[in-house]
């Protein structure tokens, strides 16, 4: 079955607006995806019908809000094939999820311990680990990539040993689109670094289908709602129950305690122990609406469509003189990072924007990766399920125009 992209587009109100007097061509999906009407409706319905605080009230609306909020946890747990709904911790996004894990880990790290990340990291999965190591005397090791942006598996494996206590890596690189073979890599970790816990940064992996945390075999998988057609300000930290159960608490305060005296407190059970304070209730409900919506799509068709968009981009890009594709891994999702020789990515982005085409330019929160690849930054078009082949073609027509203007 193929995707009915035109029908899909109708569900996204923003896609029919104009910018600078031109129909919007939205190719910045790795930064954030647009929201279907069902997600917008879920937010509006919540605030107009069910708004109340969760877990606290002895009244109808509070019960209703709690039910919607906790049902959302079950929806997400099923979506990623968690063992238990208590393994799903709501966060504000990927960044917070990684921080909960790295700050907790920092309390356990000691001199001589080793943490492994990769050269593909987003700052969120790098700076956090630098900080954790800095304050504990542990050392941070960075697994290298080749010039195409593919992780060097042998070098990765060589970094693993009995002192490796943590491995963090992206499912998919936001800057290059590289898909890491995480199942195989985690097998290597289990063989060579039996003590290590593994975190997968799923910010870019989650929207491309079939994330099954049990099959992946990691200890933590984190993602943001807003890259999965859901709202901003909400995300998920999934962790194995046994690992989360005694994970150092993150925020302390209301909701996460079992009992409190003036002198001391004890912590509640999962998931609340890692969710202090009033949560983003509307965001959680909106995220579950996005997950329900996404789940009814045919994942094979989604992946085939995204592949077709990327292939068309690669084909058309090859016809443009002076265009250099940055990141050409064999296994890659719809992220098309490039530079136009002789021009700055920011100028390219500006000139495309004037034509209604939204891309992202800069270092993509991956400064060390840009340095590794010898570029100051890139222009990045990133595709999603609602993009069309015509839009990809428009990108390249727009690029040719930009090139003439920059000449
Ligand atoms: N990791 C990756 C791979 C990302 O692409 C992003 C978002 N660009 C993040 C982490 C951080 O996500 P957020 O800003 O939603 O916390």
């Amino acid at each position: 079955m193929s995707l009915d992209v035109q029908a899909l587009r109708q569900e996204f109100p923003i896609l029919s607006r104009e910018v600078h007097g031109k129909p919007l061509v939205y190719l910045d999906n790795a930064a954030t995806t647009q929201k279907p009407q069902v997600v917008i409706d879920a937010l509006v319905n919540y605030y107009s019908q069910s708004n109340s605080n969760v877990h606290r009230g002895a009244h109808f609306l509070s019960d209703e809000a709690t039910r919607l909020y906790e049902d959302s946890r079950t929806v997400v747990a099923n979506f990623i094939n968690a063992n238990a709904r208590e393994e799903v911790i709501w966060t504000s996004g990927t960044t917070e999820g990684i921080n909960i894990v790295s700050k907790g880990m920092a309390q356990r790290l000691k001199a001589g311990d080793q943490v492994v990340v990769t050269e593909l990291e987003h700052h969120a999965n790098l700076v956090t680990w630098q900080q954790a190591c800095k304050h504990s005397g542990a050392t941070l090791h960075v697994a290298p990539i080749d010039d195409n942006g593919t992780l060097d598996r042998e070098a990765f494996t060589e970094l693993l040993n009995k002192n490796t206590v943590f491995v963090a890596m992206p499912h998919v690189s936001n800057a290059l689109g590289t898909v890491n073979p995480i199942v195989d890599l985690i097998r290597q970790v289990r063989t060579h670094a039996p003590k290590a816990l593994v975190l997968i940064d799923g910010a870019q992996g989650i929207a491309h289908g079939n994330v099954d945390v049990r099959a992946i075999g990691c200890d933590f998988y984190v993602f943001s709602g807003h890259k999965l057609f859901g709202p901003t300000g909400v995300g998920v930290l999934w962790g194995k129950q046994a690992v989360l159960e005694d994970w150092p608490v993150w925020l302390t305060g209301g909701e996460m305690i079992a009992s409190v005296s003036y002198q001391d407190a004890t912590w509640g059970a999962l998931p609340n122990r890692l969710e202090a304070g009033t949560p983003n209730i509307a965001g959680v409900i909106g995220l579950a609406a996005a997950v329900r919506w996404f789940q009814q799509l045919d994942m094979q068709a989604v992946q085939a469509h995204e592949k077709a968009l990327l292939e068309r981009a690669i084909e058309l890009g090859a016809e443009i003189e002076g265009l250099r594709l940055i990141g050409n891994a064999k296994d890659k999702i719809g992220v098309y990072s490039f530079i136009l020789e002789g021009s700055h990515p920011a100028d390219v982005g500006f000139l495309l924007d004037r034509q209604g085409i939204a891309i992202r330019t800069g270092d993509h929160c991956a400064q060390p990766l840009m340095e590794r690849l010898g570029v100051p930054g890139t222009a990045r078009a990133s595709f999603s399920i609602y993009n069309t082949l015509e839009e990809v073609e428009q990108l390249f027509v727009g690029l040719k125009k930009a090139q003439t203007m920059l000449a």
Side-chain angles (χ1 to χ4, degrees):
M1 203 171 76
S2 66
L3 271 193
D4 184 348
V5 178
Q6 287 309 329
L8 211 66
R9 289 180 69 81
Q10 298 303 315
E11 298 190 54
F12 289 78
I14 209 169
L15 295 180
S16 51
R17 72 162 288 186
E18 294 192 341
V19 293
H20 302 305
K22 306 271 174 17
L24 170 67
V25 175
Y26 185 77
L27 302 178
D28 194 18
N29 295 288
T32 198
T33 53
Q34 297 302 347
K35 320 304 171 200
Q37 189 65 47
V38 284
V39 170
I40 300 166
D41 287 347
L43 297 174
V44 172
N45 288 342
Y46 170 71
Y47 279 124
S48 51
Q49 297 297 322
S50 309
N51 178 53
S52 190
N53 212 330
V54 290
H55 300 149
R56 303 184 180 178
H59 59 83
F60 181 89
L61 282 186
S62 178
D63 283 348
E64 185 167 283
T66 303
R67 183 176 49 74
L68 292 169
Y69 176 78
E70 288 302 334
D71 284 355
S72 301
R73 201 186 301 275
T74 308
V75 168
V76 169
N78 291 338
F79 173 56
I80 58 174
N81 197 26
N83 272 303
R85 56 191 300 290
E86 291 76 14
E87 294 180 335
V88 170
I89 307 298
W90 302 120
T91 64
S92 64
T94 305
T95 303
E96 187 178 78
I98 298 171
N99 271 276
I100 295 173
V101 178
S102 63
K103 296 273 192 309
M105 197 61 207
Q107 294 184 25
R108 296 177 174 183
L109 287 174
K110 50 184 189 346
D113 286 345
Q114 296 177 12
V115 173
V116 174
V117 296
T118 73
E119 283 186 339
L120 288 169
E121 258 28 90
H122 183 283
H123 295 160
N125 206 26
L126 175 63
V127 182
T128 38
W129 295 108
Q130 290 170 352
Q131 291 300 308
C133 289
K134 207 169 265 175
H135 298 297
S136 61
T139 48
L140 184 68
H141 297 268
V142 185
I145 52 169
D146 67 15
D147 292 342
N148 283 329
T150 307
L151 189 69
D152 179 337
R153 284 199 209 195
E154 263 175 45
F156 173 81
T157 307
E158 273 166 27
L159 289 176
L160 304 170
N161 59 57
K162 63 178 181 9
N163 295 320
T164 313
V165 294
F166 208 93
V167 177
M169 60 185 154
H171 191 169
V172 174
S173 153
N174 63 309
L176 309 180
T178 308
V179 180
N180 276 326
I182 50 176
V183 174
D184 288 354
L185 295 173
I186 291 170
R187 261 192 224 124
Q188 295 299 316
V189 176
R190 301 303 182 213
T191 308
H192 301 284
K195 269 202 298 194
L197 293 170
V198 180
L199 175 140
I200 301 296
D201 170 355
Q204 299 294 336
I206 195 71
H208 300 279
N210 304 333
V211 167
D212 176 335
V213 290
R214 280 194 257 174
I216 291 170
C218 51
D219 298 288
F220 303 99
Y221 192 98
V222 290
F223 60 93
S224 304
H226 70 95
K227 296 185 199 275
L228 182 64
F229 314 102
T232 51
V234 65
V236 170
L237 158 63
W238 169 84
K240 281 184 185 156
Q241 190 158 0
V243 177
L244 287 182
E245 240 149 27
D246 72 338
W247 202 253
V249 296
W250 160 239
L251 294 174
T252 52
E255 290 288 302
M256 53 74 69
I257 47 79
S259 67
V260 184
S261 70
Y262 277 115
Q263 304 305 329
D264 209 352
T266 58
W267 311 146
L270 283 178
N272 306 54
R273 71 190 297 277
L274 293 169
E275 291 179 358
T278 300
N280 181 356
I281 307 166
V284 161
I285 292 167
L287 173 53
V291 166
R292 281 198 191 94
W293 176 84
F294 185 61
Q295 269 179 315
Q296 38 103 35
L297 302 175
D298 174 346
M299 266 328 125
Q300 265 181 328
V302 163
Q303 287 167 349
H305 178 63
E306 285 183 5
K307 189 158 178 267
L309 296 171
L310 178 66
E311 278 171 2
R312 187 76 181 123
I314 291 174
E315 199 174 71
L316 291 171
E319 289 169 10
I320 296 193
E321 211 170 309
L323 185 150
R324 183 148 69 92
L325 177 62
I326 307 292
N328 198 12
K330 253 200 206 127
D331 194 3
K332 150 179 175 102
I333 50 126
V335 169
Y336 186 85
S337 246
F338 63 95
I339 47 178
L340 273 188
E341 256 150 43
S343 54
H344 195 281
D347 294 331
V348 175
F350 174 79
L351 292 171
L352 287 174
D353 177 54
R354 302 307 296 179
Q355 302 173 60
I357 303 167
I359 62 158
R360 170 139 177 198
T361 61
D363 60 34
H364 314 293
C365 296
Q367 285 178 15
L369 175 59
M370 296 295 118
E371 199 171 311
R372 158 66 185 83
L373 295 169
V375 293
T378 73
R380 180 191 72 184
S382 51
F383 311 123
S384 186
I385 46 184
Y386 41 64
N387 290 126
T388 62
L389 287 169
E390 292 72 35
E391 286 182 311
V392 175
E393 281 153 19
Q394 276 170 280
L395 166 68
F396 288 93
V397 171
L399 269 178
K400 279 186 193 149
K401 246 191 231 168
Q403 211 172 22
T404 343
M405 291 167 94
L406 288 165

